[in-house]
């Protein structure tokens, strides 16, 4: 994963890690261990690693319930991080293109 992360970062991208089944991690130290392991494998930073509860169908006989608001906020946070990362990559690429264009024009003169 190191090679791919290096290539992504060179281009201004970053990996976001989403760990599902947060509801099954009952102890804080267990959750922290899973987060550290995921960060090592994916190369993401702490602010790029997210937990979400796995949404499963309700037991038979119960009506389908809405995904909890707390989890919806987590999902929106992940989407915001992805959007922000994409915007940064576009800005960086535009800056690089502008600089290359300026250098090319200076070399002509």
């Amino acid at each position: 994963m190191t090679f791919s992360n290096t290539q992504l970062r060179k281009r201004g991208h970053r990996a976001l890690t989403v760990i599902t089944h947060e509801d099954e991690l009952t102890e804080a130290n267990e959750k922290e261990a899973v987060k550290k392991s995921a960060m090592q494998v994916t190369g993401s930073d702490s602010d790029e690693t997210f937990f979400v509860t796995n949404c499963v169908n309700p037991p038979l006989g119960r009506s389908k319930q809405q995904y909890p608001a707390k989890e919806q906020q987590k999902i929106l946070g992940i989407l915001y991080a992805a959007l922000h990362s994409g915007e940064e990559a576009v800005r960086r690429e535009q800056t690089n293109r502008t600089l290359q264009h300026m250098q090319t024009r200076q070399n002509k003169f």
Side-chain angles (χ1 to χ4, degrees), residues 2-19:
T2 304
F3 175 76
S4 59
N5 276 344
T6 303
Q7 295 304 312
L8 286 171
R9 289 187 190 273
K10 277 184 184 178
R11 290 167 177 78
H13 302 287
R14 63 184 191 176
L16 299 178
T17 304
V18 179
I19 304 166

Side-chain angles (χ1 to χ4, degrees), residues 17-78:
T17 304
V18 179
I19 304 166
T20 60
H21 300 330
E22 180 184 27
D23 52 325
E24 293 181 16
L25 302 172
T26 55
E27 297 180 25
N29 60 349
E30 181 182 26
K31 185 175 175 179
E32 192 59 35
V34 168
K35 183 175 183 175
K36 283 183 182 180
S37 295
M39 288 168 50
Q40 283 180 329
V41 170
T42 62
S44 23
D45 295 329
S46 181
D47 63 333
E48 299 168 337
T49 305
F50 303 91
F51 282 95
V52 293
T53 299
N54 193 39
C55 184
V56 295
N57 291 326
L60 291 175
R62 295 183 110 185
S63 63
K64 200 169 193 174
Q65 46 195 30
Q66 190 176 12
Y67 205 56
K70 178 181 168 185
E71 295 302 316
Q72 290 178 12
Q73 288 296 319
K74 288 180 183 179
I75 299 298
L76 289 174
I78 294 166

Side-chain angles (χ1 to χ4, degrees), residues 77-96:
I78 294 166
L79 292 174
Y80 176 80
L83 177 64
H84 185 67
S85 175
E87 288 174 340
E88 286 178 355
V90 168
R91 263 186 253 129
R92 201 171 294 119
E93 184 63 29
Q94 287 174 335
T95 301
N96 288 341

